[in-house]
Structure formats: C-alpha cells, structure tokens
C-alpha cells in the first residue's frame, strides 16, 4: 500500500466527499424487502438488512418469528452501555409457533460458491482477512475455508446460552464494535437505519448484566415485520452502496488516507468497523 501511495504521489488524493459526489447511480442498490426487517418502536422504525448469503437458518428463523407475530409486544429489556441492546422474550415463556426451538450455530461457514468478497486491504486482529460480503462487514480465513459476518456497530445477531447450538429467539444489536464475539455467536444482519433509536435506549446496571430492573424503562417492540409483507407505500425506501465495485474500493482508500486541507497526516490504515457502508434514502424521481 505504501508503494502504491508513492506511485500516486503526483496525483492528489480524492476526498470521501468527492468520491461520493461522483458515484454513479448504478453503485446504489435498493434493499431487498424480503431480507429486511422493520422493528417498530415508540421512538420510530429500526431497519435491519439481513444477510442473503450467510447464517441462512438464523435469517429464516427471525423471518418466521416476525411473520407469526412472536416479537410483537415484547421488549428490548437488556441494554448494556457500550455493548449491546438485547430484545425478545425475557420470561422465555412465549410460544415460538412454527419456529425452531433451537438452531445449529452458524458462527462461521464454508463460503457458498462464487461468493464475492471485497478485501479491506489492511491487517485485522480478528480475521486472517477482513472485508465485505454483499454489503456486510465480514472476515475470511482461506486456510480454514471459512467466512463470517463481523460484530461491527449495528450487528444484528442471535443470543445463546453457553452451549453453542442454543440460539432460538433472543437477538441483540451491538452498540459498538464487539469483534471478540466473531465466530462465537451468529450474526444474521445489521441495522442500516434507526441506529440512533437503539443508541438512545435506557441502559441497565452493569451489576444486573444490563437487564433493566424497571420494566417501565424497557423499550417496547410494537411490531417486527418483514418489509416485503408491508405495503410498498409504507416501506422506508433505502439504498445501500454495492460493496463489489470500484467506487467502494476507492472509498476504502480515501478513508484510510484522508485528503483535504484539514488533514496533515495520512494513516494509510482503516479498521473494518470504521469503514462505513454508505446508505441513503432513495432519491425522489424528478418529473
């Protein structure tokens, strides 16, 4: 990377803003409503995009639970400052309907054939190689032939007991990166809209593992639904930048070496969880 920068020394580094402004329309992809969850709270909607490639048993499970109304009327009842916001059935008594009683862990997986992987291009302490899989931060270990989704901020993952195959209905959203959880719990997606709502949830006490003692301070899950089951007019129209293109690769370089008159030092480095995947509201069509 250093030699590459030396070769480009005569070319001014582009800023993130310049790259975003020049991004062609085709690098933006509408979210797939069949792989999108809407978590409705009294403070607004939280949008979760689910993985189309990995953790498919967990993705199927959460969609089944949402479609059968399992989460409706439940709560975010455990919120640990700087860690996670956990939601589901705190009493563990609600009927799971046709969903599985427990799931086989999908901590890491053999990659499906022709699965695209966009390398971050910088060393990572938690994976042999860090990068992106179709809009999700991920890790890869070619020696073990394994890939997995990473616990960056906003990761949507399944809680479990100590035994590995005990995930069922409880989920959590990471409030900050928790990469040490990678390959220890199953990440099924990530929050792409409404993370401010999750971050603002009341916290529990550390001594109670973050479980909020006063139920009045729990954040209700009014409903959870798969976006494709919602009338199109009532959906949140969002687009995600395709991570398998030159524009996104240019953004990685620009964030690793920040240009512009404000910056006096270029680090030539970026951490996986510090590389945001751009999301935007779908632009209104002009007449």
């Amino acid at each position: 990377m250093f030699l590459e920068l030396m070769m480009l020394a005569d070319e001014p580094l582009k800023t993130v803003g310049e790259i975003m402004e020049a991004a062609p329309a085709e690098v933006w992809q509408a979210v797939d409503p069949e792989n999108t969850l809407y978590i409705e709270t009294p403070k607004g909607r939280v949008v979760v995009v689910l993985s189309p490639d990995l953790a498919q048993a967990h993705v199927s499970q959460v969609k089944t639970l949402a479609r059968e109304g399992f989460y409706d009327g439940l709560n975010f009842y455990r919120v640990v400052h700087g860690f996670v916001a956990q939601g589901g059935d705190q009493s563990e008594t609600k009927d799971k309907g046709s969903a599985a009683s427990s799931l086989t862990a999908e901590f890491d997986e053999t990659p499906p054939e022709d699965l695209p992987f966009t390398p971050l291009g910088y060393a990572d302490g938690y994976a042999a190689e860090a990068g992106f899989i179709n809009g999700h931060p991920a890790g890869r270990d070619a020696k073990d032939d394994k890939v997995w989704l990473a616990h960056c901020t906003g990761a949507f993952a399944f809680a479990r007991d100590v035994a590995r195959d005990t995930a069922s209905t409880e989920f959590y959203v990471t409030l900050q990166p928790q990469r040490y959880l990678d390959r220890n719990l199953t990440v099924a997606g990530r929050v792409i809209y409404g993370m401010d709502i999750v971050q603002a949830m009341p916290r529990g006490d550390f001594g109670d593992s973050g479980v909020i003692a006063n139920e009045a301070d729990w954040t209700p899950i009014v409903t959870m639904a798969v976006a494709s089951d919602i009338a199109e007019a009532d959906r949140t129209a969002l687009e995600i930048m395709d991570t398998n293109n030159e524009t996104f690769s240019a953004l990685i370089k620009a964030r690793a070496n920040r240009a512009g008159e404000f910056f006096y030092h270029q680090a030539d480095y970026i951490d996986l969880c510090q590389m945001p995947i751009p999301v935007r509201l779908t632009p209104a069509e002009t007449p």
Side-chain angles (χ1 to χ4, degrees):
M1 183 61 70
F2 179 75
L3 290 176
E4 181 181 350
L5 288 172
M6 291 294 292
M7 292 172 63
L8 297 176
D10 294 333
E11 299 179 17
L13 293 172
K14 290 186 178 180
T15 67
V16 171
E18 288 170 340
I19 294 170
M20 291 293 293
E21 187 175 353
E26 58 267 23
V27 306
W28 294 100
Q29 298 180 332
V31 297
D32 175 11
E34 181 58 26
N35 278 313
T36 303
L37 292 177
Y38 290 159
I39 304 174
E40 306 290 355
T41 79
K43 297 295 185 181
R45 173 178 288 176
V46 177
V47 180
V48 176
V49 64
L50 299 170
S51 167
D53 306 295
L54 303 178
Q56 291 304 284
H58 288 71
V59 168
S60 177
Q61 175 89 338
V62 75
K63 290 198 291 186
T64 295
L65 290 164
R67 283 182 160 137
E68 294 183 3
F70 175 83
Y71 293 108
D72 299 358
L74 296 180
N75 302 275
F76 286 89
Y77 61 86
R78 176 179 179 245
V79 184
V80 186
H81 184 70
F83 185 41
V84 301
Q86 182 171 332
D89 179 21
Q90 193 268 347
S91 68
E92 299 184 349
T93 60
K94 192 168 183 178
D95 184 359
K96 298 180 180 65
S98 63
S101 59
S102 61
L103 297 166
T104 300
E106 295 175 300
F107 302 158
D108 55 19
E109 302 171 67
T110 301
E113 188 175 355
D114 298 325
L115 180 70
F117 185 92
T118 299
L120 179 69
Y122 296 93
D124 184 84
Y126 293 94
E129 187 175 22
F132 304 87
I133 295 175
N134 287 332
H136 294 266
R140 179 168 71 175
D141 190 329
K143 181 180 60 131
D144 293 341
D145 194 27
K146 295 292 185 183
V147 293
W148 59 92
L149 301 184
H151 279 82
C152 292
T153 300
F156 179 90
F158 275 73
R160 63 169 173 84
D161 294 330
V162 174
R164 62 181 290 130
D165 298 331
T166 51
S168 179
T169 64
E170 303 301 281
F171 68 89
Y172 60 89
V173 175
T174 51
L175 303 178
Q176 293 179 8
Q178 309 294 337
R179 295 289 308 284
Y180 68 96
L181 296 180
D182 289 2
R183 308 181 82 174
N184 287 293
L185 292 108
T186 300
V187 178
R190 66 186 184 93
V191 174
I192 62 167
Y193 188 84
M195 193 63 199
D196 56 322
I197 296 170
V198 182
Q199 294 283 16
M201 290 178 181
R203 269 58 167 166
D205 293 333
F206 285 110
D208 295 325
S209 299
V211 175
I212 301 169
N214 186 356
E215 294 186 15
D217 291 331
W218 292 1
T219 298
I221 299 171
V222 180
T223 63
M224 183 188 292
V226 180
S228 58
D229 298 338
I230 303 296
E232 187 171 357
D234 295 327
R235 298 176 193 167
T236 304
L238 294 168
E239 296 177 338
I240 305 176
M241 181 175 284
D242 180 9
T243 54
N244 306 309
N245 63 77
E246 294 181 359
T247 297
F248 186 72
S249 295
L251 277 177
I252 294 175
K253 293 180 180 179
R255 285 195 171 272
N257 294 280
R258 301 301 291 261
E261 61 182 4
F262 181 83
F263 294 95
Y264 293 89
H265 173 72
Q266 282 77 41
D268 190 23
Y269 178 79
I270 190 166
D271 175 84
L272 177 66
C273 293
Q274 292 296 324
M275 181 58 220
I277 301 168
V279 176
R280 70 178 185 180
L281 291 167
T282 302
E285 293 184 3
T286 55

